[in-house]
Amino acid sequence: VQLQASGGGLVQPGGSLRLSCAASGFNMDLYAIGWFRQAPGKEREWVSCVSYGGRASYGDSAKGRFFISRDNAKKTVYLQMNSLKPEDTAVYYCAAEIGGYCGSMDYWGKGTLVTVSS
């Protein structure tokens, strides 16, 4: 099982980024995929999750600004992040959950750094 997050970078406040989570080595169709983030000196925070059936859920910090989607044919889950704020700066990770309903994650990938700064 491999999960690879990409798409991070430096963006100005108010800007947008789209993160991608590429899955390999397992049938992603049956898994829920979640996004988490960890800022320096802070605990890991849940950002968003999409169930195997496509139902999206969001943490309070992401509601109304971030949008998760999945493309099972491409084995990729996306996190569209809009109206970015400096407090969104963190390493973003994607993870997979076997049950498919956004419970406790079973597999984790390496993260991608998002820096929001002017």
Side-chain angles (χ1 to χ4, degrees):
V1 173
Q2 288 193 333
L3 296 162
Q4 181 62 58
S6 63
L10 175 63
V11 62
Q12 291 187 341
S16 298
L17 277 178
R18 188 177 78 161
L19 304 184
S20 298
C21 175
S24 61
F26 67 105
N27 184 2
M28 194 191 81
D29 297 20
L30 302 178
Y31 287 67
I33 305 294
W35 284 99
F36 297 76
R37 68 186 185 186
Q38 188 164 21
K42 294 187 177 182
E43 294 186 352
R44 187 172 62 200
E45 176 188 12
W46 172 63
V47 176
S48 181
C49 186
V50 60
S51 72
Y52 86 100
R55 181 173 182 176
S57 53
Y58 300 93
D60 289 341
S61 63
K63 287 179 181 177
R65 299 189 299 129
F66 295 2
F67 300 93
I68 192 170
S69 61
R70 64 189 298 155
D71 185 337
N72 289 339
K74 294 184 178 179
K75 295 188 176 183
T76 302
V77 170
Y78 304 98
L79 184 69
Q80 177 67 42
M81 305 189 296
N82 301 323
S83 302
L84 284 162
K85 306 173 183 179
E87 51 263 45
D88 294 317
T89 296
V91 177
Y92 285 71
Y93 301 88
C94 60
E97 187 256 337
I98 295 174
Y101 292 99
C102 294
S104 179
M105 295 293 154
D106 299 289
Y107 303 109
W108 293 82
K110 295 182 180 180
T112 185
L113 177 62
V114 172
T115 303
V116 184
S117 176
S118 55

